[in-house]
């Protein structure tokens, strides 16, 4: 969990919308990326939501195998 928190903080500082000019992004894209980072963090630190995500990921992967991808 501490690794997740450290990685989140690092990305949050790098991708914060206030720094969008430094990252070469327009303001809307910067906000979108930052919200995605926040959403991922919220899922990863909540045990129930992470379990649901992992189960869905396994299911999605099995569909690709069944379909031959």
């Amino acid at each position: 969990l501490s690794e997740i928190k450290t990685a989140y903080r690092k990305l949050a500082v790098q991708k914060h919308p206030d720094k969008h000019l430094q990252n070469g992004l327009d303001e809307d894209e910067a906000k979108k990326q930052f919200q995605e980072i926040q959403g991922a963090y919220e899922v990863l630190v909540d045990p129930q939501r992470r379990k649901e995500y992992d189960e869905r990921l396994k299911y999605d992967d099995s569909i690709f195998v069944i379909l031959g991808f």
Side-chain angles (χ1 to χ4, degrees):
L1 192 58
S2 66
E3 292 175 13
I4 293 170
K5 191 176 283 191
T6 301
Y8 165 73
R9 288 180 179 160
K10 183 178 178 181
L11 275 175
V13 168
Q14 289 175 352
K15 300 293 185 175
H16 195 277
D18 291 344
K19 297 188 176 208
H20 71 278
L21 292 176
Q22 295 174 3
N23 296 328
L25 300 173
D26 65 23
E27 188 173 354
D28 291 335
E29 183 62 27
K31 286 180 182 178
K32 180 182 172 189
Q33 284 186 3
F34 189 71
Q35 289 172 344
E36 289 173 355
I37 292 167
Q38 285 181 311
Y41 177 74
E42 290 171 6
V43 169
L44 292 173
V45 297
D46 182 325
Q48 181 61 34
R49 289 176 71 188
R50 186 172 182 168
K51 180 181 176 190
E52 291 170 4
Y53 174 82
D54 289 343
E55 288 172 0
R56 202 174 17 203
L57 189 62
K58 287 177 189 175
Y59 175 75
D60 289 346
D61 286 347
S62 65
I63 292 297
F64 287 119
V65 170
I66 291 168
L67 296 175
F69 290 107

